[in-house]
Amino acid sequence: MSRLLVGPFNRVEGDLEVSLDIADGRVTSAQVNATMYRGFEQILQGKAPHDALVYVPRICGICSVSQSVASARALADLGGIAMPANGQHATNLILATENLADHLTHFYLFFMPDFARPVYAAHPWHAEAVRRFAPDHGEQVRAATAARQRWLTLLGTLGGKWPHTQSVEPGGSTRAIDAAERVRLLAKVREFRGFLERQLFAAPLETVAALETEAALWDWHAQDPLGGDLRFFLTLVRDLQLDTLGPGPGRYLSYGAYAQPGGGWALPGGVWRTQTGEVEVLNPRVITEDATHAWLAHAREPLHPLHGITRPEPDKPGAYTWNKAPRLGGQVVETGAIARQLTSGMPLVRDAVARHGGTVYTRVLARLIELARVVPMMEDWLQAIRPTEAFCVPTTLPDEGSGVGLSEAARGSLGHWLVVRRGRIANYQIVAPTSWNFSPRDAAGTPGALEQALVDAPVREGEQTPVAVQHIVRSFDPCMVCTVH
Amino acid sequence: MNVLWLQSGGCGGCSMSLLCADTTDFQGHLRDGGVNLLWHPSLSMASGEEVIALLHSVLDGGTRLDALCVEGSLLRGPHGTGRFHMLAGTGLPMIHWVRELAAKAAHVLAVGSCAAWGGITAGGDNPTDACGLQYEDDRLGGLLGADFRSGSGLPVINIAGCPTHPSWVIDTLMALAADGFAADDLDPLNRPRFYADQLVHHGCTRNEYYEFKASAEKPSDLGCMMEHMGCKGTQVHADCNTRLWNGEGSCTRGGYACIACTEPGFQEPGHPFHETPKLAGIPIGLPTDMPKAWFVALASLSKSATPKRVKNNAVADHLVVKPAVRKTRLK
Ligand code: SF4
Ligand code: SF4
């Protein structure tokens, strides 16, 4: 048996190190180390509650809006604030713009470039992978970067700037949209739709979203195996067996995405188990964080985030990461687009996961399907805006109380829990999507989702940074800065 | 120009912002400007041992380093060990790598307010002992020390902002690649003058409201946000309202106050961000070049002369009184 220390991983947000035990060309055990700690939960203590809206977006530059939305929701919960319909639509548009930008960035800039690596030079598709996805020169990488830049101009109007948009408030959005702007924003959504339909799918979004079974998906693929980047990816899935790589725990968590003015969600959440194939209602009270293997103080029992503590203990024996281990009713769960598509009832993703489980293939597929599903929703939300009506109600917060804000970032479920005493933040705890997916072992020694997914990954002769490990790690679209905040 | 980009105690937002640069071909734009990215954590192929080999090659002189860009603050804690951020795969703290690499670089750039001053990461009681490359808030020093000069003889160039604007970074890199950057191009805090000699207030769409002290009272109101909503735009160095963000935005155009994110110490204003601290009803943070008595006199005069249109629109989220259309030709 040999040991490999792998890092720094690039094309993930933040710094990540993985230590692997290897025997007979396979990973036998993995430990995931989030190597940086900044202490946002400590910084927030003693602040005026509304100030959280300045600090929390700066936890993360890739999903700053997700952090804002979770925080605004926690403050709204604290103050019993309900936003007007326009505020809800504007908030959803802002969040969806960021989430879809993340999916695009992840696929084109972070995930696909690995297939342009020389280790794949012998495969028939390699030259095409280089042409499309070589970082720096790849045609599709460059086109996607341009599409992303244009896409994020939506946030110039909707939110003033991105990242670190501060227009998201508990009472709505501080930037009202007038009728002419609404039309202009619609045109930008259509421009993005055009990019997706020409480059990524080589098909209308509705055609992709209507694929209901794996059989239908592979039929569609067979029509033109290199047409568009999704089908190109599917070609690689078959050739490299990405459908067996990096299996997840088979339990998926989504808090529900894009709250609707009348109640409910555009993508309803819950807990999905592959075993039963059913959505269970989520009970947020059974969420805990276990800090046994983190360089952080830990209590005797894993704590619910409302009572959570975050205090660094850099010399703690047995610890190997700055990340705590979140658990749902004591169990490891996976979160992300795959979870949202499962709980919201997307038939193709349900079918694919039923056959293959959570793998590199199904995680990436779910992300791309989400692009096809959410863009048309955004068009509807824009149509639903009533330019002469209110976008925001003022925020008044009590001096004592607590609030919970549950939301969905591109990479999964994000929760903020806040306690206010004498008008100041007494406790603020954040459980980020990658905290779930990249969690370390808990007190029982149970490894987190990625730690499990890496077991059995192939390691080629002489590989120091095994390419299969890189595919698995990146298939989760991790965000290390959120993980450890 | 060989550029190496490292990230430490920040959020990666300055890189994400950079990718929003106003060009149809980001990668080609950099290349055409003479910028060769040796490695960037989000944009390069190299991972793991390939990166570590590159860093060693810079240190032993095999690879020339023209510009070292550091994003994120430098985490000196706990107890000066730097262990709050170990560079993955190396067993060494990031501050070690930054010190060594800075000594080899012709130019050193602090990208964003974290790397410039410590920034948001240094908030609260600064649990990680975060600092900037050459400043700790507005005090010279930081990780590299007050006397540090890069190979070119310049101090650390502070492209401050949280995040920093993509074109502040691109313009600086392009100027360096073209050898068009000298000590007088830096302001007293070593920020590039091309953006730091401006104020956020310049070009703000709320300027007419400001003139009449017609003030916003709640989020989403159209009025000036200086009097009640914490806007620091009249004092803050940056051209956000003339060099817009993401096509057409800025904080004030987005409906929220300027929080001074290009200035040292912005993370601890000593008051809630969205409220203007006042003394006897007068904002404490007045425009730096305006005597208080003048401000008070002008404000009361202009308030008494505020047109109904400006007054009413200031407290609404869309125009409730439109500018009148005159029937005669304008003179
Ligand atoms: S300056 Fe702001 S945007 Fe840049 S890394 Fe620091 S927190 Fe992130
Ligand atoms: S909102 Fe701020 S930047 Fe705009 S006019 Fe008022 S003080 Fe100036």
Side-chain angles (χ1 to χ4, degrees), chain A residues 58 61 163-164, chain B residues 9-14 71-72 111-115 120-121 161-164:
Chain A
R58 290 168 169 91
H164 307 340
Chain B
C11 72
C14 288
E71 172 182 359
V111 181
S113 290
C114 287
I120 206 86
T121 310
C162 183
T164 185

Side-chain angles (χ1 to χ4, degrees), chain A residues 212-337:
Chain A
E212 293 209 338
T213 61
E214 263 218 300
L217 176 75
W218 289 104
D219 279 350
W220 176 75
H221 168 259
Q223 289 164 21
D224 186 5
L226 299 179
D229 297 317
L230 167 55
R231 279 188 279 213
F232 184 72
F233 166 68
L234 292 172
T235 302
L236 306 186
V237 167
R238 280 252 161 108
D239 192 48
L240 299 173
Q241 281 140 38
L242 300 179
D243 51 353
T244 59
L245 199 62
R251 288 178 293 274
Y252 301 89
L253 165 70
S254 162
Y255 293 146
Y258 311 120
Q260 296 300 297
W265 307 85
L267 298 174
V271 180
W272 177 268
R273 285 173 209 272
T274 320
Q275 242 177 358
T276 58
E278 274 167 29
V279 191
E280 292 165 27
V281 177
L282 165 74
N283 175 7
R285 280 190 302 272
V286 302
I287 295 171
T288 55
E289 285 199 296
D290 174 318
T292 318
H293 291 91
W295 289 303
L296 297 165
H298 74 273
R300 236 183 324 225
E301 295 274 293
L303 298 173
H304 186 270
L306 212 49
H307 315 288
I309 43 171
T310 304
R311 208 172 51 237
E313 272 186 16
D315 299 316
K316 188 167 135 183
Y320 60 90
T321 176
W322 291 105
N323 187 17
K324 295 180 195 169
R327 294 291 183 261
L328 186 69
Q331 290 187 314
V332 174
V333 297
E334 176 174 344
T335 185

Side-chain angles (χ1 to χ4, degrees), chain A residues 5-17 35-40 42-43 47-48 50-51 54-55 58-62 105 109-110 113-114 116-117 135-137 141-142 145-146 148-149 152-153 155-157 159-167 169 173-176 184 188 312 314-315 322 387-394 424 464-465 470 474 481, chain B residues 7-14 16-17 19-28 31 39-52 75 78 83-91 94 120-128 162-163 206 218-221 245-251 253-257 259 261 266-269 271-274 317-318:
Chain A
L5 189 66
V6 190
F9 272 89
N10 68 336
R11 289 176 284 113
V12 303
E13 186 55 53
D15 206 352
L16 165 70
E17 181 175 276
T35 66
M36 187 176 82
Y37 175 80
R38 287 164 301 160
F40 272 81
Q42 289 176 285
I43 291 170
K47 300 283 188 254
H50 192 273
D51 278 359
V54 171
Y55 290 98
R58 290 168 169 91
I59 290 171
C60 177
I62 202 165
T105 311
L109 273 68
F110 294 176
D114 284 322
R117 287 184 175 280
D136 200 26
H137 283 86
V141 167
R142 291 164 75 175
T145 310
R148 174 187 181 279
Q149 185 267 332
L152 286 167
T153 62
L155 292 186
T157 307
K161 76 170 194 296
W162 182 90
H164 307 340
T165 310
Q166 267 152 239
S167 62
E169 279 275 325
S173 162
T174 61
R175 180 58 163 80
R184 201 161 70 233
K188 287 186 178 180
D315 299 316
W322 291 105
T388 51
E389 293 172 14
F391 279 76
C392 194
V393 297
R424 297 278 149 174
Q464 292 299 307
T465 309
Q470 300 199 53
R474 292 199 185 94
V481 285
Chain B
Q7 290 175 336
S8 191
C11 72
C14 288
M16 286 300 120
S17 177
L19 274 174
C20 296
D22 182 16
T23 157
T24 51
D25 180 8
F26 177 81
Q27 290 82 356
R31 248 193 320 275
W39 189 69
H40 182 290
S42 314
L43 302 174
S44 302
M45 179 71 101
S47 244
E49 89 280 6
E50 303 153 336
V51 183
I52 298 168
L75 308 183
R83 274 166 52 206
F84 281 131
H85 183 198
M86 304 292 274
L87 177 58
T90 71
M94 189 57 132
I120 206 86
T121 310
D125 54 8
N126 193 355
T128 55
C162 183
R206 296 164 193 252
K218 55 185 189 306
S220 90
D221 281 353
W245 290 74
N246 304 98
E248 51 190 289
S250 72
C251 291
R253 288 172 197 222
Y256 46 96
I259 58 165
C261 79
F266 85 94
Q267 72 278 3
E268 284 295 329
H271 60 83
F273 282 99
H274 66 299
D317 70 2
H318 51 276

Side-chain angles (χ1 to χ4, degrees), chain A residues 212 248-257 266-280 333-359 362-363 365-367 369-370 373 408:
Chain A
E212 293 209 338
R251 288 178 293 274
Y252 301 89
L253 165 70
S254 162
Y255 293 146
L267 298 174
V271 180
W272 177 268
R273 285 173 209 272
T274 320
Q275 242 177 358
T276 58
E278 274 167 29
V279 191
E280 292 165 27
V333 297
E334 176 174 344
T335 185
I338 189 169
R340 282 192 295 276
Q341 295 307 319
L342 288 168
T343 58
S344 69
M346 202 288 153
L348 169 61
V349 176
R350 283 190 176 177
D351 189 33
V353 172
R355 290 164 199 276
H356 310 279
T359 62
T362 49
R363 278 177 206 117
L365 177 69
R367 244 183 218 103
I369 294 293
E370 189 160 276
R373 283 186 79 192
E408 285 284 319

Side-chain angles (χ1 to χ4, degrees), chain A residues 126-145:
Chain A
H126 184 252
E128 185 60 12
V130 173
R131 191 184 71 74
R132 293 188 195 200
F133 298 112
D136 200 26
H137 283 86
E139 243 171 63
Q140 298 306 85
V141 167
R142 291 164 75 175
T145 310

